[in-house]
Amino acid sequence: MATETEVGELLHQRGWRTAFTVAERVNAWAALVGVIERGYGDDIYEYTNDISCRNWLHEAWLLLDDHIVQLWTPQIKTLDDRYRTATVDDDGQALEQFHKLPGPDLWWWRRHPRILTETSGDHSAQPAPSAPTLTRPHARRTRPACARTPDQTSACGRTRGVSTDDEEHRELEPAHPDPTTHPTSQ
């Protein structure tokens, strides 16, 4: 098992764009879950990029020291439960039309947002005018600020347009240890 810094560096060497911390990835997952709960308005490519922050947590959990896992597991489990509530389990049918699905242990890839919206020019979410489906991109849209980290990047790190609506963005702290739960279980 390894420290958080060692795991961040190792995953960076394996292809992640930077040596993330657990807090950064948990905050990215929390921001994405919040957006999905209100209605996801981006295209399929943004969605698959956005949910990859949960992949990092899954990979890190296999490598991290037990005490770090125990500190963060309750919050990740809560976010996972919120994600399950805000999404539909379709065994990956929506996503596999556009993206090769990873193994079944990455269960979040087999779900899609329950509420899909379109983002208007004023950055407010509007219900999609037709049957909700994840689509290919038509035009670049500005993502709500709650899905950005403080340096104005998306939850997974790509720079986006700037919005002033930061009311939903908040940092998470690790909870007290609960050794009976694990964030990668369903």
Side-chain angles (χ1 to χ4, degrees), residues 5-53:
T5 302
E6 292 167 340
V7 168
E9 287 297 328
L10 178 62
L11 292 178
H12 177 53
Q13 291 169 6
R14 290 183 182 175
W16 289 91
R17 81 169 167 80
T18 192
F20 292 112
T21 66
V22 173
E24 289 170 331
R25 299 296 76 198
V26 170
N27 285 326
W29 185 231
L32 178 61
V33 169
V35 167
I36 291 170
E37 288 172 327
R38 288 187 307 281
Y40 193 82
D42 252 327
D43 60 60
I44 186 69
Y45 303 111
E46 293 301 324
Y47 182 72
T48 57
N49 182 62
D50 290 345
I51 64 172
S52 70
C53 60

Side-chain angles (χ1 to χ4, degrees), residues 63-139:
L63 304 169
L64 283 165
D65 290 333
D66 287 341
H67 75 278
I68 297 170
V69 170
Q70 290 173 1
L71 283 172
W72 286 98
T73 292
Q75 286 178 305
I76 294 171
K77 186 173 178 0
T78 298
L79 291 169
D80 287 351
D81 290 344
R82 287 174 49 200
Y83 178 79
R84 283 186 187 95
T85 300
T87 57
V88 175
D89 183 352
D90 71 350
D91 199 32
Q93 291 179 17
L95 295 183
E96 73 182 352
Q97 296 175 46
F98 304 98
H99 197 283
K100 183 179 180 195
L101 294 179
D105 55 331
L106 278 67
W107 56 266
W108 49 94
W109 281 87
R110 284 161 175 69
R111 305 184 71 86
H112 67 272
R114 191 173 298 281
I115 302 170
L116 295 171
T117 62
E118 291 185 356
T119 305
S120 66
D122 66 357
H123 309 295
S124 61
Q126 304 295 324
S130 60
T133 57
L134 290 169
T135 61
R136 294 186 193 281
H138 297 289

Side-chain angles (χ1 to χ4, degrees), residues 159-179:
T159 303
R160 306 283 172 86
V162 177
S163 172
T164 58
D165 180 17
D166 286 329
E167 67 188 43
E168 294 294 324
H169 181 77
R170 61 186 167 99
E171 300 293 317
L172 297 176
E173 300 280 331
H176 295 290
D178 180 359

